[in-house]
Amino acid sequence: MGLISSFVTNRPMKQKIYQIDAFTDHVFGGNPAAVCILENWLDSDVMQKIAQENNLAETAFAVKSADTYELRWFTPEVEVDLCGHATLATALVIFNYYGHSENTIRFHSPRSGELIVDKSADGLLTLDFPADETIAIRNVSEIDNAIGLTPIKTIKGKTDYLLIYNSQEEVEAITPNFHLLDQLDCRGVIVSAPGKNVDFISRFFAPQCGIPEDPVTGSAHTTLTPYWTNVLGKTKMTAKQLSQRGGDLICEFLGERVKISGRAMPYLVGEIEI
């Protein structure tokens, strides 16, 4: 009897998991994120291990609390302060699989405060995030050496550096030294320029977080949107992240907040055992 009791007690917990391609209108595009909607929080160490096992840029964990969802994000190596594409993915999961009848979901991040996602009639999802706090600084030689191309401007945000270049071709040609990038004291480095067919383009490198090049980075657009609004004189802009998978975004600057819109596609619905 004791053996049977022990066996039952030690059975693994089953947890639904979803994989969503964010900021794209087709599977195999955009940025894939894993999503787990939990009944109660797991230990941080367990969530980190799940993210490491998933080996995606981000795994999001959410717990419903009254009329909001508490939300946290993990890369394969660290918990991060803010993640746009995994928030978009989490919203799609809640809308599609958890019977959320309203067109707005309110999230609360312990690290970034209130976050909102709205769904339009045609399925477009819009993140409402706090705008980054940025300052223009002198070029940083360590960053320039790591990227391999000196920018015309360097902007410092709360967690990332933004490097500005003259053309899309320059950004496309960048081949960073990831060993040097991994030694920088920041979450990541954004590189950006005016776009050929959109208002601006970007790429994002974050080897410190276990993400050499992120396919599409929603949170980076909280830095990009205020900058390009000031340069282009437009509050609403189209953007594209030039990774191999590629991502399409619509960005709107609202002063202290930024709206970032895109689509998301379900790829996988499964179950993990913990």
Side-chain angles (χ1 to χ4, degrees), residues 221-234:
H221 288 76
T222 67
T223 308
L224 288 158
T225 303
Y227 174 81
W228 285 110
T229 286
N230 185 56
V231 170
L232 301 176
K234 302 168 68 173

Side-chain angles (χ1 to χ4, degrees), residues 16 28 42 51 59 81 91 108 135 168 182-183 188 192 220:
K16 277 273 191 167
F28 307 128
L42 301 171
T59 298
D81 293 344
H108 182 268
I135 184 172
Q168 179 170 324
D182 196 26
Q183 299 174 42
S192 185

